[in-house]
Amino acid sequence: MANRIHKLTIPSSTRYLEDVRQFVEIHAEKARLPEDSVQQLKMAVDEACANVIEHAYSGNTDQPIDIAVIVKPDRFTVRIRDEGVGFNPDAYQEPDLARIARSRRAGGLGVHIMHRLMDQVEYRQRGRTNECCLTKYRR
Amino acid sequence: MSSFSVGFRSVGSVQVLDLRGELDAHTAAELEAAIEKCQQDECVQILVNGANLMYISSAGLGVFMAHIEEIREKGGDIKIAALQPKVYNVFDLLGFPMLFDITESEDEAVTKFQSPAPSA
């Protein structure tokens, strides 16, 4: 199977998250990934884009988020690029659910979900561009 | 645009929230408003029926997390019932069954509200 790449650009608004999930679902199904992997990819990409909107772009709704699906013989990767404030992966700690509930503060679960659902989560910075790559390997 | 709605029903003293559609960072505000309305109405027995909930992201889960402690301090609870398997899997993955009372059916959750188990 030759490598294939499919691209989508959305404005940094949560109203487009459903479009992102559909985009990932279509290409993951075309790549014949198992149903559970399709669902996990949709969710991990949704979380990554929601984090870009909330944290990288601080809620500004008119900034670009570039999404690319990269299909390789042994893996399915979704690359998310933005030009907002970068995420420091070293700051990530596995959340304590009871502590989050006690703090009465929604949030803090998205990165955890990405790590739990994906085989590989990578962060890179290329000049002003932040890049997050979410990968599922074919079993 | 994501399609999501919250329907309100009462079963005795229990406020049932019927979730329908996809609950994500765009639609979580609707669930937030629904739970706040329950609290304004001084209803602390909240049953979330997820039979028609097709998707949930961390934004939706976070709404439950943000309210559960306050509602329990008032003697109530948020119970979650009838989730579809693919949605339950997300709750399970994150360890939510340790924190929330999740039942297979709405009837089971209503019964638990009406006759709560004695605390240990």
Side-chain angles (χ1 to χ4, degrees), chain B:
Chain B
M1 185 184 294
S2 301
S3 54
F4 176 74
S5 64
V6 183
F8 291 81
R9 280 187 292 131
S10 293
V11 177
S13 60
V14 179
Q15 179 68 65
V16 181
L17 304 181
D18 288 305
L19 308 192
R20 178 178 292 275
E22 302 199 356
L23 180 53
D24 63 12
H26 191 60
T27 56
E30 290 183 53
L31 177 61
E32 178 85 35
I35 292 179
E36 285 178 358
K37 181 181 184 308
C38 292
Q39 291 183 282
Q40 284 164 11
D41 294 344
E42 299 186 347
C43 177
V44 292
Q45 293 187 326
I46 300 171
L47 195 168
V48 174
N49 186 317
N52 293 302
L53 181 65
M54 300 300 154
Y55 175 82
I56 188 165
S57 76
S58 71
L61 298 169
V63 176
F64 296 125
M65 302 282 285
H67 290 278
I68 187 70
E69 286 290 317
E70 184 181 355
I71 286 170
R72 284 181 178 160
E73 281 173 8
K74 291 176 179 173
D77 198 9
I78 299 174
K79 297 187 191 297
I80 300 166
L83 292 173
Q84 299 212 11
K86 67 180 180 183
V87 175
Y88 176 80
N89 287 345
V90 176
F91 281 81
D92 193 35
L93 177 85
L94 292 169
F96 268 57
M98 297 288 288
L99 204 59
F100 288 85
D101 195 356
I102 301 175
T103 63
E104 286 191 16
S105 71
E106 180 178 312
D107 286 348
E108 190 181 345
V110 169
T111 301
K112 283 186 166 185
F113 270 125
Q114 290 169 341
S115 52
S119 53

Side-chain angles (χ1 to χ4, degrees), chain A residues 40-111:
Chain A
Q40 290 169 355
L41 276 157
K42 280 172 62 179
M43 186 170 196
V45 175
D46 178 316
E47 299 293 347
C49 290
N51 278 345
V52 169
I53 292 165
E54 182 179 356
H55 301 295
Y57 289 133
S58 302
N60 291 338
T61 58
D62 59 354
Q63 301 299 304
I65 302 175
D66 296 319
I67 299 141
V69 163
I70 302 155
V71 185
K72 294 185 176 180
D74 66 333
R75 75 192 72 174
F76 186 100
T77 297
V78 183
R79 185 185 69 206
I80 297 119
R81 285 178 172 165
D82 68 82
E83 295 191 349
V85 176
F87 172 70
N88 175 11
D90 295 336
Y92 167 69
Q93 291 183 319
E94 192 163 313
D96 175 342
L97 285 188
R99 184 184 55 75
I100 291 175
R102 282 195 302 274
S103 71
R104 300 174 189 189
R105 186 179 59 82
L109 295 173
V111 176

